[in-house]
Amino acid sequence: MWLGPEEVLVANALWVTERANPFFVLQRRRGHGKGGGLTGLLVGTLDVVLDSSARVAPYRILHQTQDSQVYWTVACGSSRKEITKHWEWLENNLLQTLSIFDSEEDITTFVKGKIHGIIAEENKNLQPQGDEDPGKFKEAELKMRKQFGMPEGEKLVNYYSCSFWKGRVPRQGWLYLTVNHLCFYSFLLGKEVSLVVQWVDVTRLEKNATLLFPESIRVDTRDQELFFSMFLNIGETFKLMEQLANLAMRQLLDSEGFLEDKALPRPIRPHKNISALKRDLDARAKNECYRATFRLPKDERLDGHTGCTLWTPFNKLHIPGQMFISNNYICFASKEEDACRLIIPLREVTIVEKADSSSVLPSPLSISTKSKMTFLFANLKDRDFLVQRISDFLQKTPSKQLASNTGGTKASVADPAPESLPAPQEAPEPPTSPSSPLSCPPSFSTQEVPTTSQGLLKVFQKNSPMEDLGAKGAKEKMKEESWNIHFFEYGRGMCMYRTAKTRELVLKGIPESLRGELWLLFSGAWNEMVTHPGYYAELVEKSMGKYSLATEEIERDLHRSMPEHPAFQNELGIAALRRVLTAYAFRNPTIGYCQAMNIVTSVLLLYGSEEEAFWLLVALCERMLPDYYNTRVVGALVDQGIFEELTRDILPRLSEKMQELGVISSISLSWFLTLFLSVMPFESAVVIVDCFFYEGIKVILQVALAVLDANMDQLLDCSDEGEAMTVLGRYLDNVVNKQSISPPIPHLHALLTSGDDPPAEVDIFDLLKVSYEKFSSLRADDIEQMRFKQRLKVIQSLEDTAKRSVVRAIPGDIGFSIEELEDLYMVFKAKHLASQYWGGSRSAAIHRDPSLPYLEQYRIDASQFRELFASLTPWACGSHTPVLAGRMFRLLDQNKDSLINFKEFVTGMSGMYHGDLTEKLKALYKLHLPPALIPEEAESALEATHYFTEDSPSEEALPQEQQEGSGSEDIQERREEKGTSPPDYRHYLRIWAKEKEAQKETIKDLPKMNQEQFIELCKTLYNMFSEDPMEQDLYHAIATVASLLLRIGEVGKKFSARTAKKPRNGAHGGDHSSATEEDEPPLPKPHQDPTQECQPPAAGDPQAKASGDTHLGKALQDNHVIAEGGSGEGQGSPSLLLSDDETKDDMSMSSYSVVSTGSLQCEDLTDDTVLVGGEACSPTAAATSRSGGTVDTDWCISFEQILASILTESVLVNFFEKRVDIGLKIKDQKKVERQFSTSSDHEPPGVLS
């Protein structure tokens, strides 16, 4: 690559000059390439250890003038090819011009200007791609790609100097972190370490410090533990590794590959050593943290943040903290965690003004809202810039408002005039239930209206006045009063100051009348609801009457959702629940519906309208409980893992006992999935939900620990899992809420409390108080850190389960051992995943549906199969291998969806590796018959049916192939199934039933092979032998066998000739037309003659695209001997027949000449045997035969005849019977996995600089 000219004072230190002219010098780095001796060894070591490793390319070009000692770098290159291209350009374009100049200064100025011009031109071409990585970084990326054989699609994120501990010896080198791989390279005094780990294989990643490894990063995969230390900034490195591993886990979870964020603002000039991807990942991390802290919608992007102070009127203080600005919100978080938190939606802002500065209040900024609240920020550094950014965002808000009024449903649509909502003066945001148009879906019938405008609790609760409830009523009234005072002091609605006082009030319990409103505010659901008016109603309308697996499950669970509550004992509540769950399943088909969602949603409906319940469910599923409700409840398993870890740390004695009983995993999953709603009395659990909406998952973990702690003595005395579960069940069932004004609802778990002495009641508020006192040290960022660690563990264990399930589904007669199958599965999965990050347009294979059975989740397409086939097949055929792979793929792709699953893949591999000579030949034979032989799916279904129905012996042409009719039904079913979101599992049951019914195929079932198919078979065999040590003997043998088989076919043709003789005795050239005219009438009549079965494929001519056919015809015209001994084997001449294989070595040519002269008995041949000439004597004749179907269809050969002929040659028998170890091929394949799909001309990875 061209470089901006930089001075070099000592040009020859560590470099060797290879080419020179009066103005330029081409140099190679010592230690790169061959030779170099001790100096080269030292330079190689220095390059790796010092900072130059990532920066020094192995070749460079310097500009020099005769009298000057100063040199200027103008270009560098990672390969000789690249640097030679630059050198030749300089010689051709600049040398003549430079010789004209008189002054050396002019020469240097001209060269520098020219090089800058070239770079500017290159950058102009690259600009549309947004390529902004600094030059030094690009050099590092090129070096990484060359060093590890990575393709162009693999992007480097960052690189760090560090030590890798190999045994007890640290190897200093460079760690390259790419989007999909962790790579390390070290070269110390001739000892080389090169390491590549895929992020999807990482099972553990942690930062630790031990006596042996001082402050190191540990990376574990399934088969190795790696330690890296001596980082300059271990915190930054570890954080980046965490992000990349997280992205990989996300990929395994839902096939969501890494996409660069195009919406990020580009810097004016690139940062010195930070790649665009590193900036992108840093921005993502900040955005996620920002959204999680303030519970903002998923598409909110942080624009910037700055230090400031906020005036808090409730305690008359200026609180220091950070102000965050994004496109729809201004937020504030105090430095002291509980002091104050504030969220101001820009849709609420009316005035932003700069107040006068003073010594007491420097750079103040005042923001007023529609609710008549004013917020005063001060100590702002770039106040003018800040005001400009806020005004820019505010200007965009009105246009969004227009969009919202016309029914827009974008996430950032503004709130349409909150003043229109019926609400008290001090609260522009509705305190209880907004009855504005956005809450009233228009399509509901009148009897359902109450559920859309208020919570079900208000509809079904008897409206008895508070006074009648005695002490409970008084307590509830006091709570309401406390909250009203709080609203008066701290504000109400979204712009409320959230402080430690707010948390105290939440812990004391939210009054029934305010619960719905506060849940909406604390969860952030309110923001999404007001910015998406009409969205829920639209979803309900679209989803009504749509059937899917999710709706089936929803119907099944509707009557199990809080059946004890009167609201769900009638159609009103059930209908509302059905609509909310169905609308959500329609919105988010990747989650669809999961058990436990019904319980949580039914509680949400008690306290809010349908629309409010829907947006609360969105907040829960998509933000507050990430991945909880997908098909594998990964999020709940992750938090359960955190709970076990916390139990180990905080309650070690109990943890051991619980592990021994195996009880934690079975009890805690329902606690997390239903937020205790399914295991506690409703009125108690709802208090935990109050705290959860304010504090997040931390509360659930604290309460779970408090429950175990309270029952520690009894649990330690338990002897089995059942006893422990009874203890915990009885305890939770007796957690009561004595302040609840709702009539008590019988709890299903009451059945567990049968016994002489019912346990003492526990007040829910006491339990919460204890949980905060004992376990409140948990912090949100610690929980996120633990979540990451557990997510690696959970997802990898799920992947292992999937692998075991898939391997178990493979029939026992497949021939591979369990270990080999597992290795093959890992290779197969890696190929599928590679399509996600290097595949480009392979969309069909990319999108994996986790709801499918494990066997169907990973599938590969034809191009990926070709790559795997090439590296794993024992039948290497040189340049013919891709052709063979394509045929194998068509043979295995039973349902014709252009994708194959692991079982189909293993079936194909087994055919080549296992079984005796007959089985292997049978597999090879099938690869040269339809459907494998058809280059494209050109043959119509009618022709295919015609072929199979006429073909009486081949009732079951292939072991896995169904008859075409039933196959098309399966395809139809598959297409229908793809139309709905969840799969129809009955489809798979039918397939498995068919597989079990499949009868064992015999060699008599195989159809006969026509002449063109036989020629292709011989071509394949020729290519297969080309690299074998016994090459010469194999060529002799196959020539003899082919010669024999051609004669057998001729003899068979004579015997099967009809009584009315066909005028087709070796018809050549002009005889074609007459032969065609006379032959065509009888062709459609069904023949009893078995040779007739070969006719229809010949008519379709599967070989239309096979290379070498027309050449074959010419060769046969010239040389009758080749026509017999080599037709198909006559491919003996690559120059004639393998037009796509011009790279054969001289040995192939010599072996061909031996075959053609030595092993064929020319004197035995008659004119009749030169049969292929009639088939393709010239290109035009070949074309005619293809279009008119006039190939010699009477000639055919059976599998038994081919088998018998091959058995006569021991060298062929030995070739097919020798065992090949697939394990070695799998290891080799893993090594080169990364080099597939690379088109760069880098030197091979073995040649390391």
Side-chain angles (χ1 to χ4, degrees):
M1 61 186 284
W2 297 105
L3 299 174
E6 288 182 13
E7 278 190 30
V8 177
L9 294 175
V10 187
N12 293 316
L14 312 181
W15 293 85
V16 181
T17 299
E18 292 205 335
R19 296 166 84 168
N21 61 41
F23 302 107
F24 298 101
V25 182
L26 190 155
Q27 296 184 326
R28 172 177 55 82
R29 185 81 167 166
R30 287 183 193 274
H32 180 83
K34 293 178 182 175
L38 183 62
T39 320
L41 210 59
L42 286 167
V43 173
T45 302
L46 284 170
D47 273 353
V48 170
V49 175
L50 301 178
D51 191 34
S52 58
S53 160
R55 300 167 178 234
V56 179
Y59 298 95
R60 71 178 183 183
I61 297 174
L62 302 178
H63 164 61
Q64 61 163 4
T65 49
Q66 289 171 347
D67 299 333
S68 172
Q69 296 300 310
V70 178
Y71 292 75
W72 299 84
T73 55
V74 294
C76 71
S78 57
S79 67
R80 190 179 295 277
K81 184 176 175 182
E82 183 187 358
I83 205 71
T84 307
K85 188 176 157 191
H86 289 336
W87 179 263
E88 286 171 356
W89 188 91
L90 290 170
E91 281 191 330
N92 296 336
N93 294 283
L94 287 192
L95 280 191
Q96 204 169 354
T97 313
L98 294 178
S99 57
I100 298 167
F101 287 95
D102 296 328
S103 160
E104 290 186 355
E105 281 182 19
D106 291 348
I107 291 173
T108 304
T109 307
F110 179 79
V111 168
K112 284 161 74 176
K114 194 73 180 168
I115 298 300
H116 279 303
I118 294 170
I119 293 170
E121 192 62 33
E122 280 185 352
N123 288 346
K124 193 169 78 178
N125 295 337
L126 288 172
Q127 243 169 3
Q129 302 165 10
D131 193 347
E132 57 180 61
D133 291 340
K136 301 290 185 190
F137 193 88
K138 284 182 190 167
E139 287 176 43
E141 188 165 54
L142 285 172
K143 191 175 177 73
M144 176 274 297
R145 286 202 190 123
K146 175 178 170 291
Q147 199 78 65
F148 303 103
M150 297 286 182
E152 291 292 325
E154 186 65 350
K155 301 282 188 191
L156 179 65
V157 181
N158 215 348
Y159 56 96
Y160 301 94
S161 170
C162 70
S163 289
F164 165 60
W165 290 80
K166 193 164 186 184
R168 296 191 175 187
V169 183
R171 298 295 179 91
Q172 186 66 24
W174 285 85
L175 181 73
Y176 297 91
L177 303 180
T178 74
V179 172
N180 304 298
H181 297 86
L182 174 153
C183 309
F184 177 83
Y185 182 74
S186 167
F187 181 85
L188 286 176
L189 300 175
K191 292 281 179 73
E192 184 180 77
V193 176
S194 186
L195 187 73
V196 176
V197 175
Q198 279 188 302
W199 289 118
V200 287
D201 293 333
V202 172
T203 56
R204 184 176 179 182
L205 179 65
E206 59 186 29
K207 189 167 58 172
N208 53 20
T210 61
L211 288 172
L212 186 60
F213 303 117
E215 202 173 30
S216 61
I217 293 175
R218 173 180 176 171
V219 182
D220 287 7
T221 63
R222 286 176 178 81
D223 44 26
Q224 57 185 341
E225 292 178 8
L226 311 169
F227 289 89
F228 300 93
S229 64
M230 300 186 196
F231 290 92
L232 286 171
N233 187 343
I234 194 167
E236 181 199 322
T237 311
F238 183 69
K239 189 178 168 190
L240 181 57
M241 289 166 91
E242 261 190 341
Q243 282 180 287
L244 293 167
N246 238 332
L247 283 170
M249 291 307 107
R250 174 61 52 197
Q251 208 176 65
L252 286 175
L253 192 60
D254 55 16
S255 295
E256 195 179 272
F258 177 80
L259 290 171
E260 198 174 339
D261 190 347
K262 302 296 179 196
L264 272 183
R266 298 292 176 200
I268 297 156
R269 51 168 190 257
H271 298 283
K272 189 181 174 190
N273 258 351
I274 298 179
S275 70
L277 283 179
K278 174 78 170 66
R279 274 185 58 247
D280 184 273
L281 286 167
D282 288 346
R284 282 179 187 221
K286 284 180 180 173
N287 283 333
E288 280 168 19
C289 183
Y290 170 63
R291 289 193 294 260
T293 306
F294 298 104
R295 307 269 168 82
L296 299 176
K298 287 183 86 172
D299 57 351
E300 198 62 24
R301 283 194 179 86
L302 180 64
D303 188 67
H305 58 93
T306 182
C308 67
T309 58
L310 171 68
W311 170 253
T312 49
F314 50 86
N315 58 3
K316 310 290 189 289
L317 288 175
H318 290 283
I319 298 180
Q322 289 270 327
M323 176 196 273
F324 301 86
I325 297 177
S326 60
N327 37 349
N328 295 297
Y329 298 89
I330 298 170
C331 301
F332 174 84
S334 58
K335 281 185 181 172
E336 197 183 322
E337 195 177 354
D338 278 343
C340 183
R341 192 169 284 176
L342 181 64
I343 301 164
I344 309 170
L346 288 182
R347 63 177 182 268
E348 291 294 307
V349 172
T350 52
I351 301 167
V352 178
E353 58 183 345
K354 293 183 273 189
D356 295 333
S357 286
S358 66
S359 55
V360 183
L361 207 61
S363 307
L365 179 69
S366 163
I367 297 174
S368 303
T369 68
K370 295 173 183 174
S371 56
K372 309 292 186 288
M373 288 180 76
T374 301
F375 303 96
L376 188 62
F377 297 93
N379 292 286
L380 291 158
K381 287 176 187 169
D382 297 317
R383 184 174 63 162
D384 294 343
F385 176 73
L386 198 68
V387 170
Q388 185 57 49
R389 291 302 291 161
I390 294 172
S391 65
D392 288 347
F393 288 133
L394 280 170
Q395 277 173 359
K396 293 173 189 172
T397 310
S399 61
K400 290 181 181 178
Q401 195 168 338
L402 290 174
S404 76
N405 293 336
T406 56
T409 54
K410 289 187 179 174
S412 51
V413 178
D415 177 9
E419 286 83 2
S420 66
L421 305 177
Q425 282 301 309
E426 74 274 17
E429 310 218 357
T432 50
S433 54
S435 55
S436 65
L438 49 97
S439 320
C440 298
S443 58
F444 301 144
S445 64
T446 50
Q447 66 173 30
E448 294 162 349
V449 168
T451 63
T452 64
S453 58
Q454 55 188 328
L456 288 171
L457 207 60
K458 290 181 182 164
V459 179
F460 287 95
Q461 206 173 44
K462 293 184 179 104
N463 293 323
S464 51
M466 287 284 185
E467 291 76 25
D468 298 352
L469 294 167
K472 283 186 180 179
K475 184 79 177 170
E476 185 76 3
K477 212 161 178 56
M478 280 170 61
K479 278 189 198 174
E480 284 182 13
E481 197 54 42
S482 301
W483 275 98
N484 285 330
I485 293 167
H486 185 78
F487 292 148
F488 181 75
E489 287 184 18
Y490 296 84
R492 188 170 191 170
M494 211 68 223
C495 303
M496 180 201 303
Y497 292 98
R498 299 164 198 218
T499 65
K501 174 82 174 152
T502 317
R503 177 196 281 154
E504 277 175 37
L505 282 175
V506 170
L507 279 173
K508 286 177 184 171
I510 298 175
E512 300 272 345
S513 57
L514 294 173
R515 189 161 269 144
E517 175 195 351
L518 292 174
W519 283 2
L520 282 167
L521 295 179
F522 295 150
S523 66
W526 178 247
N527 285 322
E528 290 186 280
M529 190 170 90
V530 295
T531 53
H532 291 72
Y535 176 78
Y536 172 69
E538 198 180 308
L539 265 186
V540 169
E541 208 171 314
K542 283 182 185 171
S543 60
M544 275 301 180
K546 294 277 170 63
Y547 173 81
S548 67
L549 192 65
T551 56
E552 192 180 310
E553 289 176 354
I554 288 167
E555 286 301 323
R556 197 175 57 228
D557 285 353
L558 281 176
H559 294 277
R560 302 177 192 169
S561 313
M562 296 189 66
E564 64 274 22
H565 198 287
F568 298 100
Q569 290 167 0
N570 63 79
E571 190 49 38
L572 188 65
I574 295 291
L577 183 59
R578 178 187 292 116
R579 283 193 294 271
V580 174
L581 290 172
T582 309
Y584 186 77
F586 197 75
R587 167 192 166 90
N588 191 344
T590 53
I591 290 178
Y593 170 77
C594 172
Q595 279 190 327
M597 281 169 76
N598 59 322
I599 295 169
V600 175
T601 310
S602 56
V603 173
L604 300 178
L605 276 166
L606 290 174
Y607 293 101
S609 68
E610 266 183 49
E611 186 174 22
E612 290 165 352
F614 171 78
W615 287 112
L616 281 167
L617 185 63
V618 168
L620 275 176
C621 296
E622 295 173 18
R623 288 186 285 111
M624 298 187 74
L625 298 174
D627 303 322
Y628 258 60
Y629 299 108
N630 57 25
T631 45
R632 299 189 279 181
V633 294
V634 171
L637 291 170
V638 166
D639 286 346
Q640 183 178 285
I642 294 175
F643 177 49
E644 289 185 37
E645 194 178 327
L646 290 170
T647 311
R648 267 197 305 278
D649 295 345
I650 299 168
L651 308 167
R653 269 180 66 216
L654 186 58
S655 174
E656 281 177 35
K657 180 71 177 179
M658 299 290 268
Q659 290 295 335
E660 186 188 310
L661 297 175
V663 80
I664 282 191
S665 54
S666 50
I667 55 163
S668 56
L669 196 61
S670 62
W671 297 1
F672 290 103
L673 276 171
T674 65
L675 308 175
F676 285 99
L677 286 164
S678 63
V679 293
M680 260 187 206
F682 163 72
E683 55 274 8
S684 305
V686 87
V687 178
I688 295 178
V689 177
D690 291 344
C691 300
F692 166 75
F693 277 123
Y694 189 77
E695 294 265 48
I697 195 64
K698 168 185 167 179
V699 174
I700 307 296
L701 290 165
Q702 284 178 189
V703 171
L705 286 167
V707 169
L708 289 189
D709 187 47
N711 291 278
M712 188 187 291
D713 296 336
Q714 285 174 279
L715 289 169
L716 288 171
D717 294 338
C718 289
S719 55
D720 60 31
E721 185 185 3
E723 194 180 342
M725 289 183 74
T726 305
V727 166
L728 289 168
R730 292 178 74 185
Y731 176 84
L732 288 167
D733 204 51
N734 283 276
V735 176
V736 296
N737 179 358
K738 293 172 182 172
Q739 299 175 14
S740 173
I741 56 164
S742 301
I745 297 163
H747 189 235
L748 296 181
H749 274 256
L751 298 171
L752 291 167
T753 58
S754 56
D756 300 332
D757 50 335
E761 289 184 342
V762 181
D763 191 281
I764 181 64
F765 296 103
D766 293 341
L767 180 62
L768 275 170
K769 189 179 174 189
V770 169
S771 78
Y772 271 88
E773 284 171 358
K774 289 193 173 182
F775 309 112
S776 62
S777 56
L778 283 174
R779 291 170 51 86
D781 46 356
D782 293 338
I783 290 173
E784 279 310 309
Q785 185 69 44
M786 291 163 89
R787 268 182 170 171
F788 164 72
K789 188 175 159 187
Q790 292 298 330
R791 195 176 292 120
L792 282 181
K793 202 183 287 183
V794 166
I795 291 179
Q796 294 294 13
S797 83
L798 286 170
E799 288 296 308
D800 289 341
T801 306
K803 178 173 71 177
R804 287 192 295 272
S805 301
V806 169
V807 167
R808 276 201 301 271
I810 305 300
D813 60 355
I814 213 78
F816 292 115
S817 67
I818 295 290
E819 291 74 21
E820 285 172 338
L821 282 171
E822 288 187 348
D823 285 346
L824 278 170
Y825 176 78
M826 294 310 287
V827 167
F828 185 85
K829 181 174 122 180
K831 183 57 67 182
H832 167 91
L833 290 172
S835 72
Q836 291 183 289
Y837 37 83
W838 297 339
S841 61
R842 296 173 180 167
S843 56
I846 287 173
H847 296 297
R848 173 170 68 99
D849 183 356
S851 64
L852 287 172
Y854 287 132
L855 194 61
E856 294 291 322
Q857 285 187 18
Y858 293 114
R859 293 181 294 171
I860 57 174
D861 61 20
S863 59
Q864 292 166 311
F865 178 77
R866 271 199 295 276
E867 291 162 6
L868 277 182
F869 183 89
S871 55
L872 296 177
T873 180
W875 297 343
C877 297
S879 63
H880 192 63
T881 306
V883 178
L884 203 62
R887 292 175 189 162
M888 174 72 85
F889 184 84
R890 286 190 288 276
L891 189 68
L892 297 173
D893 182 20
Q894 298 170 34
N895 56 11
K896 305 289 180 283
D897 65 351
S898 301
L899 294 171
I900 61 168
N901 64 27
F902 180 67
K903 186 175 181 180
E904 291 163 337
F905 170 72
V906 170
T907 305
M909 286 291 127
S910 177
M912 296 185 287
Y913 275 96
H914 300 295
D916 55 12
L917 170 76
T918 310
E919 291 300 315
K920 289 180 181 174
L921 280 176
K922 202 194 289 182
L924 190 63
Y925 185 82
K926 286 178 202 159
L927 291 180
H928 297 82
L929 292 172
L933 201 61
I934 302 169
E936 292 172 346
E937 301 295 338
E939 189 176 6
S940 70
L942 181 66
E943 288 170 322
T945 314
H946 178 58
Y947 171 72
F948 281 113
T949 49
E950 272 200 294
D951 183 9
S952 50
S954 65
E955 192 73 28
E956 199 169 327
L958 304 165
Q960 319 91 320
E961 291 282 322
Q962 287 90 18
Q963 292 294 341
E964 199 70 22
S966 64
S968 63
E969 282 169 30
D970 285 347
I971 299 162
Q972 189 61 35
E973 282 170 22
R974 187 64 159 260
R975 282 183 190 143
E976 284 169 12
E977 174 197 316
K978 283 183 178 174
T980 62
S981 50
D984 179 5
Y985 293 99
R986 288 167 295 192
H987 167 73
Y988 297 102
L989 289 171
R990 280 196 291 274
I991 289 177
W992 293 329
K994 278 181 189 174
E995 283 173 2
K996 286 191 176 177
E997 287 166 15
Q999 295 165 353
K1000 190 72 181 167
E1001 174 193 51
T1002 66
I1003 56 176
K1004 290 189 184 297
D1005 295 330
L1006 292 168
K1008 293 190 177 182
M1009 185 176 267
N1010 72 15
Q1011 204 170 60
E1012 282 204 53
Q1013 294 160 355
F1014 176 67
I1015 289 168
E1016 281 301 315
L1017 175 63
C1018 292
K1019 185 190 286 187
T1020 300
L1021 287 167
Y1022 169 82
N1023 282 285
M1024 205 182 284
F1025 303 150
S1026 65
E1027 294 172 16
D1028 196 273
M1030 302 287 290
E1031 189 178 19
Q1032 295 285 350
D1033 297 337
L1034 287 164
Y1035 286 150
H1036 279 286
I1038 197 61
T1040 310
V1041 168
S1043 170
L1044 178 62
L1045 286 168
L1046 276 167
R1047 271 184 247 146
I1048 290 171
E1050 280 302 302
V1051 174
K1053 174 184 161 186
K1054 286 176 183 173
F1055 274 110
S1056 61
R1058 300 170 62 89
T1059 45
K1061 264 205 161 186
K1062 298 178 187 175
R1064 201 198 262 192
N1065 297 328
H1068 288 10
D1071 297 338
H1072 264 289
S1073 55
S1074 59
T1076 307
E1077 285 168 17
E1078 293 181 50
D1079 281 358
E1080 269 184 2
L1083 277 180
K1085 295 179 184 175
H1087 272 264
Q1088 298 306 314
D1089 176 5
T1091 60
Q1092 183 63 23
E1093 69 200 11
C1094 304
Q1095 181 262 329
D1101 189 29
Q1103 296 315 310
K1105 286 194 176 179
S1107 58
D1109 282 9
T1110 51
H1111 298 291
L1112 178 62
K1114 289 179 184 173
L1116 293 168
Q1117 277 184 310
D1118 299 335
N1119 190 339
H1120 287 265
V1121 178
I1122 301 173
E1124 183 204 353
S1127 55
E1129 175 44 27
Q1131 280 62 348
S1133 168
S1135 58
L1136 292 176
L1137 306 170
L1138 294 175
S1139 58
D1140 58 336
D1141 186 13
E1142 296 167 2
T1143 54
K1144 290 284 175 205
D1145 56 9
D1146 294 334
M1147 281 300 289
S1148 304
M1149 293 299 287
S1150 61
S1151 61
Y1152 161 65
S1153 59
V1154 174
V1155 172
S1156 57
T1157 56
S1159 65
L1160 306 180
Q1161 291 130 17
C1162 309
E1163 60 272 23
D1164 291 345
L1165 304 183
T1166 64
D1167 286 342
D1168 284 326
T1169 58
V1170 190
L1171 204 249
V1172 190
E1175 175 195 332
C1177 25
S1178 71
T1180 49
T1184 315
S1185 71
R1186 277 160 176 63
S1187 57
T1190 55
V1191 174
D1192 188 350
T1193 56
D1194 291 337
W1195 190 101
C1196 61
I1197 201 94
S1198 69
F1199 176 71
E1200 293 99 313
Q1201 290 165 329
I1202 291 176
L1203 177 63
S1205 305
I1206 283 178
L1207 284 170
T1208 62
E1209 295 289 339
S1210 61
V1211 66
L1212 288 173
V1213 173
N1214 294 338
F1215 177 84
F1216 281 104
E1217 288 199 331
K1218 72 179 175 197
R1219 292 192 66 79
V1220 183
D1221 181 11
I1222 197 169
L1224 295 171
K1225 286 192 173 286
I1226 291 171
K1227 278 181 189 168
D1228 293 342
Q1229 202 279 335
K1230 283 180 179 172
K1231 283 179 191 170
V1232 298
E1233 173 67 43
R1234 299 175 311 282
Q1235 291 155 52
F1236 284 134
S1237 74
T1238 174
S1239 55
S1240 59
D1241 53 10
H1242 296 322
E1243 294 161 32
V1247 185
L1248 296 168
S1249 55

